[in-house]
Amino acid sequence: MMTRRSPTSELLIRAADDPAVMARFWSHVRRLAGTECWIWTGAISDRGHGRFWVGADRVVIAHRLAWAATYPGQPVPRLLSHDCDNPTCVNPAHLRAGTAATNRAEYDARAGTPGSPLNDIRGARARAEALRAAARQGQDLNWLFTIEGVVGV
């Protein structure tokens, strides 16, 4: 049975196949000491996810484009869950296909875990902005967030 691709999935697949787009995309990703997450340093949504323009008027979620680049030609799942609970992470090894229901259930199960990034009192966007700033400066992220009392980058 053939899986039907959504228009957004098609857009992501085309963008992932464009070397100029991907060079611009990867220029916004930092891999730093202290975390296996690949931190997005570009624009950030209110929920803390990376945002990336693939055209003059088309914005995509950054981790979905990272997925599309890792799995060329494959349909991009409508929702990708972060095993690391870090919405700025674009490391495909930390992502897996999910649904709104499974994502909510996982959030509810892990939000109360001591040290979980989901417990950050700053909220997802402010935490993402702090991670982005630290990544842009090349800081060791475990050191930074342990000092601030937030564990689990």
Side-chain angles (χ1 to χ4, degrees):
M1 183 171 140
M2 184 107 171
T3 302
R4 188 168 167 248
R5 296 179 183 159
S6 71
T8 302
S9 183
E10 289 291 342
L11 174 70
L12 289 162
I13 290 166
R14 283 192 311 275
D17 196 39
D18 184 327
V21 169
M22 293 313 298
R24 190 167 50 84
F25 174 85
W26 292 117
S27 76
H28 294 289
V29 177
R30 300 292 182 277
R31 297 172 69 179
L32 303 168
T35 181
E36 293 179 10
C37 291
W38 300 356
I39 305 298
W40 178 255
T41 62
I44 296 174
S45 74
D46 288 341
R47 292 185 175 182
H49 294 105
R51 295 171 48 91
F52 183 73
W53 278 257
V54 294
D57 60 349
R58 292 301 309 255
V59 177
V60 297
I61 299 170
H63 62 270
R64 292 188 76 213
L65 184 52
W67 177 279
T70 303
Y71 303 103
Q74 297 297 313
V76 180
R78 187 173 175 89
L79 189 141
L80 291 167
S81 294
H82 286 86
D83 288 333
C84 58
D85 294 328
N86 178 4
T88 62
C89 180
V90 297
N91 182 347
H94 292 188
L95 305 171
R96 64 186 156 64
T99 66
T102 60
N103 198 40
R104 171 49 65 185
E106 291 166 5
Y107 176 89
D108 290 344
R110 294 195 300 249
T113 305
S116 170
L118 300 175
N119 293 330
D120 194 320
I121 61 172
R122 295 173 291 189
R125 182 178 173 100
R127 182 172 187 278
E129 289 171 343
L131 281 167
R132 176 180 64 187
R136 284 177 174 172
Q137 295 171 12
Q139 294 179 349
D140 177 317
L141 298 180
N142 268 347
W143 175 83
L144 174 74
F145 286 96
T146 300
I147 292 294
E148 292 187 13
V150 180
V151 183
V153 179

